[in-house]
């Protein structure tokens, strides 16, 4: 059970967690799958997109290390394939801004994302959340990105908090696995790409419909 007294910090993913995802890319894939006669084409499309996330992240990491990602634009291509919004159409998951501001009154907060630094700060600035997060960990911050534990561990060190007293909040198995490998708590949310059964199998300690429900959940847990 997630005990609020055992928590010092919350680490938030962006896409699908705080930053609302654009489902148009998934629906395009689902439309093609439906033409092939596949059952549950939307669910299959989501799973195909998510299955590509870990190797896609690994590829972006490798290209970043040799300075080629900016030249080849691989991360931008992967964002489009996964239906991730660009700066021109950033949208907030409803009520998450209120939730993180409430959490910041009691806990340390950080962002842990596979987005680049420029995109991450553009999103936070757009919704007046930059001052709420003490630390922003992006794909430039560590040599390895989620599902490797390095980004979660980096955020914990930057906050001066033990990993086991941190909660990683994210919408995919990549976020859950990164948290568990770092020794942190994992809270999964269903407002993005992940599905409940796969998030449970990945080892999520708690699954909520949205991060907006975190303050109420912690209050109920403390009673």
């Amino acid at each position: 059970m997630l005990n609020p007294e055992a928590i010092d910090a919350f680490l938030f993913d962006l896409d699908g967690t705080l930053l609302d995802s654009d489902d148009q890319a998934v629906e395009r894939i689902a439309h093609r799958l439906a033409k092939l006669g596949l059952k549950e084409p939307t669910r299959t499309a989501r799973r195909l997109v998510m299955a590509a996330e870990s190797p896609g992240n690994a590829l972006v990491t490798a290209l970043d290390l040799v300075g080629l990602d900016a030249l080849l634009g691989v991360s931008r291509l992967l964002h489009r394939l996964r239906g991730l919004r660009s700066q021109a159409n950033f949208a907030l998951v409803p009520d998450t801004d209120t939730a993180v501001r409430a959490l910041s009154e009691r806990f340390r907060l950080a962002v842990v994302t596979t987005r680049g630094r420029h995109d991450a700060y553009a999103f936070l600035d757009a919704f007046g959340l930059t001052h709420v997060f003490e630390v922003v960990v992006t794909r430039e911050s560590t040599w390895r990105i989620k599902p490797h534990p390095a980004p979660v561990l980096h955020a914990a060190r930057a906050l001066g908090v033990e990993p086991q007293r941190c909660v990683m909040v994210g919408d995919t198995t990549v976020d859950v696995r990164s948290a568990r490998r770092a020794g942190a708590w994992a809270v999964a949310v269903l407002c993005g790409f992940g599905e409940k059964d796969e998030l449970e199998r990945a080892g999520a300690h708690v699954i909520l419909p949205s991060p907006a429900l975190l303050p109420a959940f912690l209050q109920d847990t403390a009673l």
Side-chain angles (χ1 to χ4, degrees):
M1 178 62 69
L2 195 63
N3 178 8
E5 297 303 321
I7 301 168
D8 290 325
F10 279 87
L11 321 177
F12 286 89
D13 175 49
L14 285 187
D15 290 290
T17 303
L18 298 180
L19 204 171
D20 198 10
S21 296
D22 185 345
D23 283 343
Q24 289 183 355
V26 170
E27 290 305 321
R28 284 194 294 269
I29 297 172
H31 180 68
R32 295 189 182 105
L33 294 176
K35 286 184 175 181
L36 297 175
L38 291 180
K39 295 181 180 179
E40 298 184 319
T42 299
R43 188 176 187 184
T44 302
R46 281 182 174 273
R47 288 185 170 179
L48 287 172
V49 170
M50 290 312 305
E53 184 173 18
S54 291
N57 286 353
L59 176 60
V60 170
T61 300
L63 292 175
D64 263 348
L65 289 175
V66 294
L68 288 178
D69 181 49
L71 178 64
L72 300 178
V74 172
S75 60
R76 291 194 300 274
L77 173 62
L78 291 174
H79 280 179
R80 287 198 300 272
L81 290 175
R82 196 183 152 195
L84 301 185
R85 293 181 183 272
S86 66
Q87 289 185 33
N89 67 346
F90 278 161
L92 189 73
V93 172
D95 300 321
T96 52
D97 51 345
T98 301
V100 296
R101 288 190 178 100
L103 290 172
S104 70
E105 295 176 1
R106 180 176 176 186
F107 304 100
R108 316 280 295 281
L109 300 187
V111 164
V112 178
T113 178
T114 54
R115 287 250 183 190
R117 181 179 176 85
H118 185 69
D119 273 4
Y121 276 103
F123 168 75
L124 296 176
D125 288 344
F127 295 98
L129 296 175
T130 307
H131 69 285
V132 176
F133 293 93
E134 297 180 50
V135 171
V136 177
V137 177
T138 66
R139 70 166 181 258
E140 295 96 342
S141 303
T142 59
W143 280 24
R144 302 291 296 275
I145 54 181
K146 297 178 294 185
H148 196 275
V152 172
L153 294 173
H154 182 85
R157 283 194 300 270
L159 289 171
V161 174
E162 294 296 323
Q164 61 267 26
R165 295 187 65 85
C166 293
V167 179
M168 178 70 214
V169 184
D171 67 303
T172 71
T173 59
V174 166
D175 300 302
V176 174
R177 298 205 310 271
S178 182
R180 294 300 300 254
R181 291 170 181 175
W185 295 90
V187 169
V189 291
L190 300 175
C191 52
F193 280 85
E195 296 184 340
K196 186 176 181 180
D197 56 349
E198 65 184 0
L199 295 167
E200 287 176 341
R201 289 196 300 271
H205 295 99
V206 174
I207 299 178
L208 297 174
S210 165
L213 300 178
L214 267 171
F217 171 80
L218 292 174
Q219 185 175 7
D220 290 344
T221 304
L223 294 178

